């Protein structure tokens, strides 16, 4: 595939990632509005994050099986159709229960889309650039934090939170058009053998890679789920300024994602260890810096950078280890990210409901990420004893 065609395909995947990332993350900026409108508590509204994440975790293996024999571009389009339906339901949801169901419907496409997209992205670029290609696709996800989440927050505060989901529905339609027009049909990507794909889940290193993702990234959402009330009540940032702080977080995630991709192509595991250490320390520091508006804003930027620097190496690690079954493993790793999100949001809500207060969330988040760091070190120790057969990501 030519360089221009590769760029066009990666751009289309990034646009779709932007739409999906916006609907996933924008709920955090709108928690106070959703809670007030639907007359539920902030922790209950926070469960909409967990519901979405669990929808991703449940939908990933199911949709992977249902789309296994579809040509990869057609599979991506079918998944985007489900995304559009779910967000349209969110836009008209009359109560909390319907909104929760709609969030789960929208989430079902998430894991399989990013799993298939990661394999497609790594296939359309030359060898040695797979992690950077994955990072470019995930750049749409991080840009959702720069543009989609803050402007979705502004829109929801101005015109009601349902208007945000109506706008995301339109984004989904544009994303589907982009994938249809710019992502080429890839008949050489044969339908995966699901029996062979499932077999890789018996490999300890694949399971450890999934655990690294659940725990390493899960700590982020222990805190980030409740970022709007933290900024407004602890950092004394006004409601209107909250969106701009989320823009800064998004800039950090965008830079971190691209930086993490380059580090992963250079030295995967040592880079991942360093990133997880930095991420843990930043969240721990947020316990104190959240009480000063300037310090909180600076911490939020660095936190975004460190958080999304983990994404390419964590995704690369599972594809690297699952040489004989990259499609399902890649999809399940996206589910692992979201299972971590669900666990993190639940832990954060439990901390709040337990009366420990918002300021303790940084400690809880750091503790979860440290568990991911320990899983990473364990994986490296095993690898030293039994070297991996191939250090290159599989091309199906």
């Amino acid at each position: 595939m030519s360089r221009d065609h590769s760029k066009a395909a990666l751009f289309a995947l990034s646009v779709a990632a932007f739409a999906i990332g916006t609907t996933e993350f924008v709920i955090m900026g709108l928690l106070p509005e959703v809670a007030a409108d639907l007359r539920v508590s902030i922790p209950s509204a926070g469960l909409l994050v967990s519901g979405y994440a669990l929808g991703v975790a449940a939908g990933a293996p199911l949709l992977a099986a249902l789309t296994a024999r579809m040509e990869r571009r057609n599979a991506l389009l079918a998944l985007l159709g489900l995304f559009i339906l779910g967000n349209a339901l969110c836009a008209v949801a009359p109560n909390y229960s319907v909104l929760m169901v709609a969030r789960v419907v929208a989430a079902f496409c998430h894991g399989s889309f990013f799993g298939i997209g990661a394999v497609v992205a790594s296939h359309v670029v030359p060898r040695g650039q797979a992690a950077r290609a994955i990072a470019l696709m995930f750049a749409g996800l991080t840009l959702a934090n720069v543009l989609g989440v803050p402007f979705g927050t502004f829109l929801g505060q101005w015109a009601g939170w349902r208007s945000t989901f109506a706008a995301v529905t339109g984004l989904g339609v544009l994303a589907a058009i982009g994938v249809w027009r710019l992502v080429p049909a890839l008949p050489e990507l044969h339908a995966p053998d699901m029996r062979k794909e499932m077999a890789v889940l018996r490999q300890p290193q694949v399971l450890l890679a999934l655990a690294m993702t659940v725990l390493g990234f899960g700590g982020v959402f222990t805190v980030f789920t409740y970022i709007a009330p933290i900024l407004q009540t602890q950092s004394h940032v006004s409601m209107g300024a909250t969106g701009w702080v989320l823009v800064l977080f998004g800039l950090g995630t965008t830079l971190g994602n691209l930086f993490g991709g380059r580090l992963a192509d250079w030295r995967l595991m040592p880079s991942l260890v360093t990133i997880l250490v930095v991420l843990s320390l930043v969240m721990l520091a947020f316990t104190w810096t959240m009480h000063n508006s300037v310090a909180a804003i600076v911490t939020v930027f660095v936190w975004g950078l460190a958080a999304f620097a983990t994404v390419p190496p964590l995704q690369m690690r599972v594809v690297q280890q699952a040489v004989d079954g990259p499609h399902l493993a890649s999809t399940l790793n996206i589910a692992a990210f979201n299972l971590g999100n669900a666990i993190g949001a639940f832990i954060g809500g439990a901390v709040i409901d337990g009366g420990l207060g918002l300021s303790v969330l940084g400690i809880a988040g750091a503790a979860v990420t440290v568990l991911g760091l320990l899983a990473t070190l364990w994986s490296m120790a095993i690898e030293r004893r039994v070297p991996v057969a191939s250090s290159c990501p599989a091309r199906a």
Side-chain angles (χ1 to χ4, degrees):
M1 180 176 291
S2 73
R3 183 182 179 89
D4 288 343
H5 288 162
S6 296
K7 286 183 176 180
L10 291 174
F11 174 75
L13 292 171
S14 295
V15 171
F18 177 85
I20 294 172
T22 298
T23 204
E24 178 181 15
F25 298 131
V26 76
I27 194 71
M28 270 77 83
L30 294 173
L31 275 192
E33 288 72 29
V34 172
D37 184 53
L38 300 182
R39 299 185 181 182
V40 297
S41 67
I42 289 291
S44 294
L47 289 178
L48 292 166
V49 177
S50 295
Y52 184 95
L54 290 174
V56 175
L62 175 62
L63 270 296
L66 291 176
T67 60
R69 297 194 176 278
M70 296 178 67
E71 190 276 323
R72 300 293 82 185
R73 180 180 62 182
N74 291 338
L76 293 174
L77 288 171
L79 293 167
L80 284 172
L82 190 62
F83 169 82
I84 292 166
L85 173 63
N87 280 283
L89 289 174
C90 286
V92 298
N95 55 50
Y96 179 84
S97 298
V98 173
L99 179 59
M100 179 65 81
V101 171
R103 290 278 292 168
V104 172
V105 170
F108 258 54
C109 79
H110 187 126
S112 290
F113 184 90
F114 281 106
I116 294 170
V119 173
V120 170
S122 64
H123 186 82
V124 299
V125 296
R127 287 186 181 275
Q129 297 181 19
R132 273 172 280 183
I134 292 171
L136 285 172
M137 181 189 73
F138 276 93
L141 193 64
T142 59
L143 282 173
N145 282 302
V146 180
L147 300 174
V149 172
F151 286 101
T153 299
F154 293 144
L155 177 61
Q157 291 171 347
W158 174 63
W161 60 267
R162 289 179 181 81
S163 65
T164 299
F165 289 102
V168 171
T169 302
L171 276 176
V173 173
L174 292 176
I177 294 171
V179 169
W180 173 53
R181 297 285 295 178
L182 299 175
V183 174
L186 296 169
E188 66 273 23
L189 281 179
H190 300 294
D193 182 339
M194 292 306 294
R195 186 175 300 176
K196 190 175 180 181
E197 295 269 335
M198 289 291 293
V200 302
L201 297 180
R202 295 196 294 267
Q203 298 175 17
Q205 284 285 36
V206 174
L207 296 176
L208 262 178
L210 294 172
M212 287 156 50
T213 298
V214 171
L215 298 169
F217 198 76
V220 174
F221 271 68
T222 301
V223 189
F224 189 63
T225 300
Y226 306 97
I227 189 64
I230 287 173
L231 290 173
Q232 291 170 21
T233 66
Q234 304 298 307
S235 309
H236 305 295
V237 173
S238 69
M239 184 178 73
T242 298
W244 291 110
V245 178
L246 294 178
V247 170
L248 195 62
F249 179 85
L251 288 172
T253 65
T254 302
L255 295 174
N257 177 67
L258 297 174
F259 187 55
R262 290 188 174 275
L263 287 177
D265 279 331
W266 175 55
R267 295 187 67 191
L268 178 59
M269 293 301 278
S271 297
L272 182 56
V273 167
T274 302
I275 294 166
L276 290 174
V277 169
V278 172
L279 178 58
S280 300
L281 292 174
V282 170
M283 285 191 291
L284 186 62
F286 194 46
T287 302
W288 293 275
T289 61
M290 71 168 64
H291 299 294
N292 177 279
S293 58
V294 175
I297 291 169
V298 172
T299 305
V300 164
F301 172 75
V302 178
W303 178 28
L305 195 155
F308 274 72
T310 66
V311 174
L314 286 170
Q315 189 71 11
M316 188 72 172
R317 178 64 174 179
V318 75
V319 173
Q320 178 195 70
Q321 294 299 315
V323 174
D324 295 323
H327 295 81
L328 181 61
S330 179
T331 296
L332 288 178
N333 200 51
I334 301 301
F337 275 111
N338 283 271
L339 181 59
N341 295 352
I343 292 171
F346 176 79
I347 291 172
V351 168
I352 297 170
D353 281 338
L356 297 177
L358 292 168
S359 61
V360 180
L361 292 179
I363 297 173
V368 175
T369 294
V370 165
L371 293 176
L373 173 62
L374 293 176
T376 304
L377 294 172
W378 185 11
S379 179
M380 292 177 71
I382 294 174
E383 195 167 74
R384 290 192 188 99
R385 293 197 299 270
V386 184
V388 67
S390 172
S391 62
C392 297
R395 287 176 181 268

